[in-house]
Amino acid sequence: MIEDMRDIERELSALREVNLTPDEKRRMRNVLRAYMNAHPGAKIQIQSVPSPLSYWFVMVSRTSAMACAVIFVVGSVSYAARGSLPGQALYPVKVGFNEKVQSMLTLSPEASATLAVDQAAQRLAEIETLASTGKLDSVTQAQAEKRFEESFAEASKRVDTLKASGNILMAAAVSEDLESKLDTHLGAIAGIAETSQSREAVANIAYSVKSKLDDAAVRSIELGKTKVKLADRGSAESIVRTAQDSAITLLIENARDSQSAQAENTSDKGVATMAMTARTMAAPEPSAKLMAKGASNSSKEGVSDAVQKLIDQGKEKYAKGEYADAYENFKKAQRLAKDDTLLRGIAGDLKSLADKKKRTDEATTTKGVKEDDHEGDDDSHKGSDRGGLLRRIGL
Amino acid sequence: MEDPQEAFLKCYDEQADALFRFCTFKVNDRELAKDLVQDTFMKTWEYIAAGNKVENVKAFLYKTLNHAIIDYYRRKKSVSLESLQEEGFDASVDESSSIEASIDGRRARELVQKLPPPYRDAVYMRFVNELSLKEIAEITGEAENTIAVHVHRGLKKLKELYQDQTV
């Protein structure tokens, strides 16, 4: 009976994999943001997490009026700082006080890791607001980028702590959450970059976020592999099949987007019909392959083929019972397919940035070699990292 | 207090997939589900922006989505989901969303669809969208005890259906 229930729960969990693609989610988010900007409203009340300072108020309620007054002033400043953005006077209060207090009041490693991920996502939400309201300039960009990198480092550290304590399942879950949040926000930032007047500043941020997203993805895959290794056979198969399904869905979605774009551009009735068919048809693997190939233009063909190849290799490993390695293949295929969608609009900007940074790094390396061989080694390594990033983002 | 727009966008980031999943399950059409979910977020924002207080945004979103789905079927009076399924019509099922005709996903979906309506939604919301009994009660307007019974009976029925299929 218990086995039956486990089987049912496993089957039901497969339904949880029906999700919006990152591209769909980003587009809908952009529409919602535009709608909200057009309907700002006057008196808005959304229930949110109560300020940690509310606990302080309770604690000091019976102490002297002077103490209460001091707390009231601090609380008011803290309260006012909650919606502040990089570059604004109260922003240091928000990040250096409010969030620190919140972190101090969060005791368990699991809750601390989740909070750190939320704070990293909050940094990206701030960047989105700055970019979409035209407030992102070189100064705010530098501040926002620095804050994001700090919060990302903190979140990564928390994940590593969970891993070191042996809580692999939680570490994997938090790591995936971090990757997913970075994915969503990067999509939104890339979307804003396409129309932003400060496109260069936004693209710079996107470049930085992408590099962290790559790190997060590597960590997620490693933790996921460990999770698969620790799971019993049935659960391992279920996890790997879910990863495989998601990879194939992304491949199909990318092909479909490409087909729709082609249909719109060429007004070709045949292609439009194909795109419509793709939207409604069940898509077994051969169709997916065909659609991916048929829909690809020359630059996308390489990406679709690479994704397909990773999926095929994953299937072979799965058939041999090499579940952890199969999982790695499917997750890499997912990452590649997601990147293809995420960065479509600003891929050119990122490539230029990567080229520019690579040239700067190479120049520094050459100079460093002449001046000091050891320093030159460090710069050369940095240069190769940038090259690695370039390859990893599929450009 | 968090900037309301940011708070709402955060809410979108957290809930959009679950709402989309629930809507796809109800309407069997990915594109339509996207439209209904988008409308749901816009209507909810409009309501909040008008100065109305929302105690539980998540429950409110599900309620708004439920109304949007019912409205959609009312507009299409001649077609009801149940009647279509009774006739065996399932052409608009977007299998690509549940992945390469995923055997597990499809079978689970078919099993849950076979449950009587009150059990079906309760089981789906509880085990797929992982909502609490309290949240489901708030969304459906039923008592929490009633939902607990629906979930329990739905699960029992699901087990019977599963056993019938595996025998």
Side-chain angles (χ1 to χ4, degrees):
Chain A
M1 185 181 281
I2 291 170
E3 279 305 310
D4 278 350
M5 289 313 293
R6 279 189 188 150
D7 286 343
I8 289 172
E9 279 179 25
R10 194 182 303 145
E11 298 234 8
L12 287 173
S13 71
L15 288 173
R16 285 183 209 135
E17 293 307 313
V18 178
N19 287 322
L20 291 161
T21 66
D23 198 37
E24 285 170 339
K25 201 167 175 181
R26 175 175 66 84
R27 281 186 209 157
M28 287 170 66
R29 195 179 198 277
N30 287 343
V31 171
L32 180 62
R33 185 189 279 281
Y35 187 81
M36 287 160 69
N37 285 335
H39 301 81
K43 295 174 185 174
I44 295 173
Q45 298 179 61
I46 297 178
Q47 284 298 103
S48 56
V49 181
S51 162
L53 288 175
S54 57
Y55 296 107
W56 292 26
F57 276 117
V58 173
M59 286 165 63
V60 299
S61 61
R62 292 177 187 168
T63 62
S64 71
M66 179 66 86
C68 284
V70 170
I71 298 286
F72 178 74
V73 171
V74 173
S76 301
V77 173
S78 157
Y79 184 80
R82 291 193 68 176
S84 60
L85 295 168
Q88 292 178 344
L90 287 177
Y91 187 71
V93 178
K94 175 184 176 178
V95 181
F97 181 75
N98 288 11
E99 292 187 357
K100 285 268 157 61
V101 170
Q102 209 175 350
S103 301
M104 278 163 56
L105 291 171
T106 309
L107 301 177
S108 74
E110 292 85 357
S112 297
T114 307
L115 179 66
V117 169
D118 284 346
Q119 288 177 348
Q122 179 62 27
R123 298 292 83 81
L124 293 176
E126 289 160 3
I127 291 169
E128 277 173 52
T129 308
L130 285 172
S132 63
T133 51
K135 290 177 186 161
L136 195 69
D137 54 32
S138 57
V139 178
T140 49
Q141 179 217 315
Q143 280 183 14
E145 201 173 324
K146 181 172 169 281
R147 292 289 189 185
F148 163 66
E149 286 180 357
E150 285 169 1
S151 61
F152 176 82
E154 180 63 24
S156 305
K157 196 175 92 184
R158 298 285 180 184
V159 171
D160 290 341
T161 306
L162 283 174
K163 184 185 167 191
S165 69
N167 194 349
I168 299 296
L169 288 182
M170 190 64 195
V174 174
S175 182
E176 277 184 22
D177 189 32
L178 178 63
E179 185 187 350
S180 158
K181 284 192 160 84
L182 258 57
D183 237 346
T184 306
H185 285 288
L186 179 59
I189 291 168
I192 294 167
E194 288 178 50
T195 52
S196 173
Q197 289 180 335
S198 49
R199 182 168 177 140
E200 193 181 339
V202 184
N204 264 310
I205 292 261
Y207 184 88
S208 167
V209 177
K210 181 68 185 84
S211 120
K212 300 301 174 207
L213 174 57
D214 289 335
D215 294 345
V218 170
R219 188 178 281 103
S220 286
I221 290 173
E222 279 309 312
L223 285 164
K225 279 179 75 178
T226 312
K227 188 172 78 175
V228 171
K229 282 177 191 166
L230 293 174
D232 61 50
R233 187 176 168 176
S235 303
E237 284 180 351
S238 176
I239 296 168
V240 179
R241 277 206 307 270
T242 303
Q244 172 189 319
D245 290 345
S246 298
I248 292 170
T249 302
L250 286 165
L251 182 67
I252 294 168
E253 288 296 332
N254 283 6
R256 181 184 297 165
D257 280 355
S258 184
Q259 275 185 329
S260 301
Q262 278 189 359
E264 279 166 24
N265 289 341
T266 60
S267 302
D268 182 328
K269 215 173 174 180
V271 178
T273 311
M274 271 178 70
M276 200 179 287
T277 311
R279 254 200 292 276
T280 50
M281 73 186 287
E285 189 204 4
S287 307
K289 252 182 195 170
L290 206 67
M291 282 157 61
K293 283 188 177 168
S296 298
N297 57 32
S298 56
S299 65
K300 277 184 60 61
E301 210 161 81
V303 177
S304 298
D305 286 348
V307 173
Q308 186 67 61
K309 196 174 168 189
L310 282 166
I311 292 172
D312 290 343
Q313 286 170 349
K315 283 181 176 174
E316 282 169 21
K317 287 172 186 170
Y318 182 86
K320 288 181 199 164
E322 296 166 1
Y323 298 133
D325 291 338
Y327 176 85
E328 182 176 6
N329 270 83
F330 294 135
K331 292 303 271 189
K332 280 182 175 171
Q334 282 179 33
R335 188 69 263 146
L336 197 57
K338 281 180 187 172
D339 286 354
D340 186 41
T341 311
L342 267 179
L343 306 170
R344 204 170 288 162
I346 57 163
D349 299 64
L350 296 187
K351 189 176 187 324
S352 309
L353 271 173
D355 287 343
K356 195 171 153 190
K357 290 187 182 189
K358 194 179 173 190
R359 278 198 300 276
T360 312
D361 290 340
E362 280 168 0
T364 315
T365 308
T366 313
K367 196 178 167 193
V369 168
K370 282 177 187 167
E371 288 172 359
D372 183 327
D373 280 344
H374 297 292
E375 282 182 18
D377 287 346
D378 289 344
D379 285 346
S380 160
H381 180 66
K382 197 174 167 189
S384 72
D385 277 351
R386 292 295 188 193
L389 172 64
L390 192 63
R391 278 194 298 280
R392 281 191 289 167
I393 62 178
L395 297 171
Chain B
M1 188 193 284
E2 211 172 337
D3 173 48
Q5 288 204 5
E6 288 312 318
F8 196 68
L9 283 173
K10 193 174 165 192
C11 181
Y12 167 85
D13 292 339
E14 288 167 357
Q15 302 301 330
D17 280 324
L19 288 164
F20 171 72
R21 192 177 307 135
F22 179 66
C23 193
T24 309
F25 174 72
K26 298 283 279 181
V27 302
N28 284 354
D29 183 329
R30 189 179 174 86
E31 293 303 312
L32 174 62
K34 270 163 56 182
D35 288 347
L36 292 175
V37 169
Q38 181 90 72
D39 279 354
T40 296
F41 276 101
M42 286 176 170
K43 279 181 186 158
T44 304
W45 173 255
E46 214 170 291
Y47 182 81
I48 294 168
N52 298 300
K53 191 174 181 183
V54 177
E55 292 289 347
N56 183 340
V57 185
K58 188 173 167 186
F60 189 88
L61 284 165
Y62 273 93
K63 267 195 270 189
T64 311
L65 180 61
N66 250 337
H67 288 148
I69 294 167
I70 292 166
D71 280 352
Y72 170 77
Y73 282 112
R74 276 190 190 141
R75 282 201 303 274
K76 293 191 64 148
K77 270 182 188 168
S78 58
V79 188
S80 83
L81 179 59
E82 280 76 13
S83 66
L84 281 174
Q85 283 166 347
E86 278 164 17
E87 288 162 25
F89 177 82
D90 210 16
S92 60
V93 174
D94 187 351
E95 290 298 346
S96 63
S97 64
S98 62
I99 314 126
E100 201 200 9
S102 156
I103 293 167
D104 278 358
R106 178 186 282 174
R107 188 166 61 178
R109 193 172 183 287
E110 283 171 358
L111 283 174
V112 180
Q113 290 284 20
K114 280 181 187 167
L115 293 175
Y119 302 163
R120 186 167 61 204
D121 283 2
V123 166
Y124 190 91
M125 285 197 237
R126 182 74 190 94
F127 294 103
V128 181
N129 275 13
E130 299 177 293
L131 297 174
S132 67
L133 294 175
K134 195 179 167 191
E135 284 172 325
I136 302 170
E138 198 172 332
I139 292 162
T140 56
E142 299 278 1
E144 203 174 321
N145 281 344
T146 312
I147 297 299
V149 171
H150 285 173
V151 170
H152 179 71
R153 289 185 185 161
L155 211 53
K156 199 174 158 196
K157 179 81 183 156
L158 199 62
K159 202 171 75 186
E160 288 167 12
L161 291 168
Y162 181 79
Q163 282 166 343
D164 287 348
Q165 205 179 59
T166 49
V167 167

